[in-house]
Structure formats: structure tokens, C-alpha cells
Amino acid sequence: MTDPIATGRTVLVVEDDPGVRNTLDQLLRFEGYRVLTSADGQEALELLDRQRPDLAVVDVVMPRLDGLALCRMLRRRGDRLPVLVLTARHQLGDRVAGLDAGADDYLAKPFATEELLARIRALLRRTVQPGGEDRTVLALDDLTLDTAARQAHRGPHPLDLTKTEFDLLELLLRNQGTVLTRHQIYERIWGFDFDTDSRSLDVYIGYLRRKSEEGGLPRLIHTVRNVGYTVRSA
């Protein structure tokens, strides 16, 4: 049965292993997605100049241009295409490297197809469709976030946020005065809970703090120990 989220959506698969690439192609088509494929990051960049997918599933280790380099190049040129990175590495540092390169999520190989599809659905649910939402500006002190324009500022200075960073900040600002637990945040941002030892949320909170506190600005995103996170006035 076709997933309703897949209707009209296109996924770009960037994977150098022909067997894995073909398997992902068939799996996603079976779920109802349109699929584009590339054998490496350089080929993907050339394809993106001609076509516009809704999401990219990108392997890390590839010839010519690897997955992390591809992410960095996309973000440097202002492309906010949602990216799910696939990696055979299991060390936290490798996962953080993917997120730091601009990826929105990561999945370590080998993975269950159900989890891959769940993460794709979660990223696509967070994709703002033009004209699909009313303009709302959320604010806390000098921090503002325009949900329709997908722009955030600290005072007059724009914050260069990835899709996941923006969504996380929006969730916190929409729940001012409430402490959101780690489980609640994982469920509402990623669509499901991660393993209990996952550090993905902490990594993203660190990125948001670094960007929103640049120049010594006071902290607005606070940790509530053993519970979760909240935003409050400095």
C-alpha cells in the first residue's frame, strides 16, 4: 500500500554500491516515491542542477565526492535540501561529523528498512510546503523566528540554521514556559524515539547555542537536568 506521505515526493539516492543503490531504489518506489539515483556526490551535484528532489539519502564513503563533502557544498551554496546520511560507522564522532556537515539526520548501516522509511517520513513531514502554513513569528527577548520564511534572527543578525536546527528551535519557542523531555523532543522532531544512549539531541542543542550565543549573547536555551530542555528569558 502506497504511503500517503510519498505521494508526489521525490527522493534522491546517492550511493556508490550498485546493489545497495538498486535495493533502495526498488524499496522507495514500492512505497510510492519517485526516485532519482546517483553513484557519487559529484554526479548528485550535476543532477541537482537539473532536477529538484524533496529529500536526499546519501552514503558517506563514495569516490570523487563523498557524502559529507556533498552536504557541506550544498549548505555553503544555501541549499536546504533535507539530507539523511547513511554510514557504516558506529562511532559517535562519525555521526557528529555528518550532522556538523549539514545533514539533517543519520542512520548507521546495517539498518532496518522500517527505520529508514520512518526517518524519511519524519523529514518529509517537516518540509514546509509553499503557502501551506500561515505566517507566524515566534519571539523570546531578541530572538525571533519566522515560521513561513524559515528565518531566525538574534537581534539584527540572521542565524544560519539547518532544517533540523530550525525545527528544534521552533518547537522550543512554541513551548515557552514548558520543559520538554528528551523523549517528547525526539518524538516531535524525528517522529520516533532514539536509543536511550543517543546524543543527537545534545549535538543539535550545542549547535543552536553556539549560533544563538555568538558574540557573547546571553543563553536562552537551557538544560533541565535529567529531564530535557526549555527556553526562557536571559
Side-chain angles (χ1 to χ4, degrees):
M1 182 177 178
T2 300
D3 188 331
I5 293 179
T7 303
R9 299 297 188 99
T10 301
V11 177
L12 169 62
V13 175
V14 189
E15 167 65 66
D16 66 313
D17 185 315
V20 176
R21 187 169 65 246
N22 292 335
T23 297
L24 291 174
D25 185 5
Q26 294 175 24
L27 170 67
L28 293 170
R29 289 184 189 278
F30 181 79
E31 292 295 317
Y33 295 98
R34 293 194 294 259
V35 182
L36 305 171
T37 60
S38 296
D40 58 54
Q42 185 60 46
E43 186 177 310
L45 283 176
E46 295 167 2
L47 184 150
L48 287 169
D49 287 335
R50 306 187 305 270
Q51 301 187 64
R52 184 65 187 175
D54 297 288
L55 178 141
V57 178
V58 178
D59 189 28
V60 169
V61 181
M62 294 184 293
R64 293 209 295 172
L65 188 68
D66 66 36
L68 300 186
L70 172 61
C71 287
R72 293 189 190 98
M73 291 186 70
L74 289 175
R75 299 321 185 212
R76 277 201 298 267
R77 69 187 196 182
D79 192 328
R80 295 303 177 193
L81 175 70
V83 175
L84 170 62
V85 167
L86 302 180
T87 174
R89 302 166 181 168
H90 294 273
Q91 296 299 317
L92 174 62
D94 296 315
R95 300 177 185 181
V96 171
L99 299 176
D100 207 18
D104 296 283
D105 198 0
Y106 65 84
L107 187 58
K109 299 177 182 178
F111 51 81
T113 57
E114 293 82 0
E115 183 174 7
L116 171 67
L117 293 172
R119 289 175 184 252
I120 289 174
R121 288 194 298 269
L123 282 173
L124 290 175
R125 276 196 296 268
R126 289 154 43 199
T127 301
V128 175
Q129 299 299 317
E133 294 185 0
D134 293 332
R135 179 176 296 271
T136 300
V137 177
L138 306 172
L140 175 65
D141 290 355
D142 61 345
L143 174 65
T144 59
L145 183 144
D146 187 325
T147 60
R150 301 286 291 181
Q151 294 177 345
H153 289 76
R154 187 76 195 263
H157 305 293
L159 304 181
D160 183 18
L161 304 180
T162 67
K163 176 179 289 294
T164 298
E165 291 166 358
F166 187 95
D167 292 340
L168 177 55
L169 183 58
E170 178 181 353
L171 176 64
L172 292 169
L173 287 172
R174 287 188 183 277
N175 291 273
Q176 294 181 43
T178 300
V179 178
L180 296 176
T181 67
R182 297 174 62 86
H183 174 77
Q184 287 175 320
I185 295 172
Y186 276 128
E187 286 284 350
R188 292 161 75 173
I189 295 297
W190 281 273
F192 54 91
D193 203 357
F194 274 39
D195 295 335
T196 54
D197 62 349
S198 172
R199 304 292 292 177
S200 299
L201 177 56
D202 308 282
V203 171
Y204 277 114
I205 290 292
Y207 292 159
L208 280 176
R209 283 174 172 163
R210 184 177 65 195
K211 292 178 179 181
S212 64
E213 297 171 14
E214 189 173 0
L217 293 171
R219 174 160 297 179
L220 299 176
I221 302 171
H222 298 273
T223 302
V224 179
R225 190 172 181 181
N226 297 325
V227 181
Y229 296 96
T230 189
V231 291
R232 60 172 180 262
S233 296

